[in-house]
C-alpha cells in the first residue's frame, strides 16, 4: 500500500487535473471508526475521482471498501460487515449551497478550501454501520432453535473485553470455577 495518505487535499486543484486519490489505509488509522470495531486489523480500499460539472461544481465519485468486524447487538459476538460504498459527493463551502447540488449527490463540506480524505473514508464507513448491527437471524448465536446449546468458545474473544458486562460475567464464571 502507499505509505502516506494525504490528509487534506484541495478539491478544486484536483478536479482541474482530473485527479484521483486512491489506495488503502489501515482501519487502525481511522480513529472514529476503530473504536467501533472488534478487530482493527485490515485495510480500507478507497478511490476518489474529482471532476468539475458544467456549473463549476466539484464532484467526487468515490469507492470505499472494507470488511468491518463489529459486535452483533443481539448475541454480542463478532460479525463481519462488508462495506462496498460508492458515494457520489458534491463539494460545498457554505451550508446554503447544499440545496443547489445535483440531486444524486450528497454534500461534503470543504473547510478553508480543503477536504480531509480520512474524514471522507470515516464518514462512509460510519454511514454503512447500522445503528443496531445484528447478524442475519440464521447466523446469530441468539436463535430460538439453538438457544439450549452453549455458545462456542472463542479463542480471541475481543468481543468480551469490549463489553464491560460480558467481561464482568466472564470474571464471575472464572471465580466460581
Ligand atoms: Zn448475533
Amino acid at each position: 500500500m502507499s505509505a502516506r495518505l494525504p490528509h487534506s487535499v484541495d478539491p478544486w486543484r484536483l478536479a482541474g487535473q482530473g485527479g484521483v486519490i486512491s489506495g488503502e489505509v489501515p482501519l487502525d488509522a481511522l480513529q472514529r471508526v476503530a473504536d467501533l470495531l472488534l478487530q482493527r486489523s485490515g485495510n480500507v480500499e478507497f478511490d476518489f475521482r474529482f471532476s468539475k460539472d458544467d456549473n463549476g461544481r466539484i464532484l467526487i465519485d468515490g469507492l470505499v471498501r472494507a470488511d468491518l468486524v463489529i459486535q452483533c447487538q443481539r448475541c454480542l459476538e463478532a460479525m463481519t460487515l462488508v462495506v462496498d460504498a460508492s458515494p457520489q459527493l458534491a463539494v460545498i463551502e457554505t451550508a446554503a449551497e447544499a440545496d443547489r447540488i445535483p440531486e444524486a449527490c450528497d454534500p461534503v463540506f470543504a473547510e478553508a478550501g480543503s477536504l480531509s480524505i480520512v474524514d471522507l473514508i470515516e464518514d462512509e464507513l460510519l454511514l454503512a454501520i447500522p445503528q443496531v448491527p445484528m447478524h442475519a437471524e440464521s447466523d446469530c448465536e441468539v436463535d430460538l432453535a439453538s438457544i439450549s446449546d452453549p455458545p462456542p468458545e472463542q479463542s480471541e474473544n475481543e468481543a468480551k473485553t469490549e463489553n464491560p458486562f460480558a467481561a464482568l460475567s466472564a470474571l464471575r464464571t472464572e471465580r466460581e470455577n
Side-chain angles (χ1 to χ4, degrees):
M1 60 168 279
S2 58
R4 228 157 275 167
L5 177 69
H7 278 248
S8 296
V9 298
D10 177 343
W12 286 270
R13 193 176 60 82
L14 274 167
Q17 302 166 340
V20 178
I21 303 273
S22 68
E24 289 187 4
V25 61
L27 282 167
D28 214 14
L30 304 174
Q31 223 165 355
R32 285 191 291 147
V33 176
D35 286 348
L36 304 172
L37 304 179
L38 298 185
Q39 283 172 27
R40 296 177 186 189
S41 55
N43 292 322
V44 186
E45 240 182 277
F46 63 90
D47 186 293
F48 295 108
R49 287 163 197 273
F50 292 75
S51 62
K52 202 179 274 189
D53 74 4
D54 295 340
N55 301 318
R57 170 80 55 204
I58 308 299
L59 304 180
I60 307 171
D61 189 10
L63 280 177
V64 176
R65 292 201 185 102
D67 289 351
L68 303 182
V69 180
I70 54 179
Q71 189 179 43
C72 168
Q73 295 306 299
R74 185 160 46 198
C75 68
L76 304 183
E77 298 296 339
M79 60 179 278
T80 301
L81 178 73
V82 178
V83 178
D84 190 348
S86 345
Q88 303 293 312
L89 306 169
V91 176
I92 60 170
E93 285 182 287
T94 65
E97 283 180 76
D99 297 334
R100 302 198 294 268
I101 63 173
E103 225 170 276
C105 293
D106 289 316
V108 58
F109 194 69
E111 210 170 330
S114 80
L115 268 186
S116 158
I117 294 296
V118 167
D119 277 352
L120 286 185
I121 297 168
E122 285 183 337
D123 286 347
E124 280 316 307
L125 295 177
L126 291 173
L127 272 175
I129 300 175
Q131 275 198 315
V132 184
M134 284 193 288
H135 286 116
E137 264 180 58
S138 55
D139 297 335
C140 196
E141 294 297 335
V142 177
D143 185 313
L144 289 179
S146 64
I147 205 147
S148 55
D149 295 329
E153 285 291 325
Q154 283 194 336
S155 50
E156 276 183 295
N157 209 333
E158 293 176 68
K160 293 202 169 164
T161 56
E162 290 279 328
N163 181 311
F165 301 108
L168 196 64
S169 78
L171 208 65
R172 283 184 183 150
T173 313
E174 264 168 45
R175 280 186 185 160
E176 280 162 19
N177 290 342

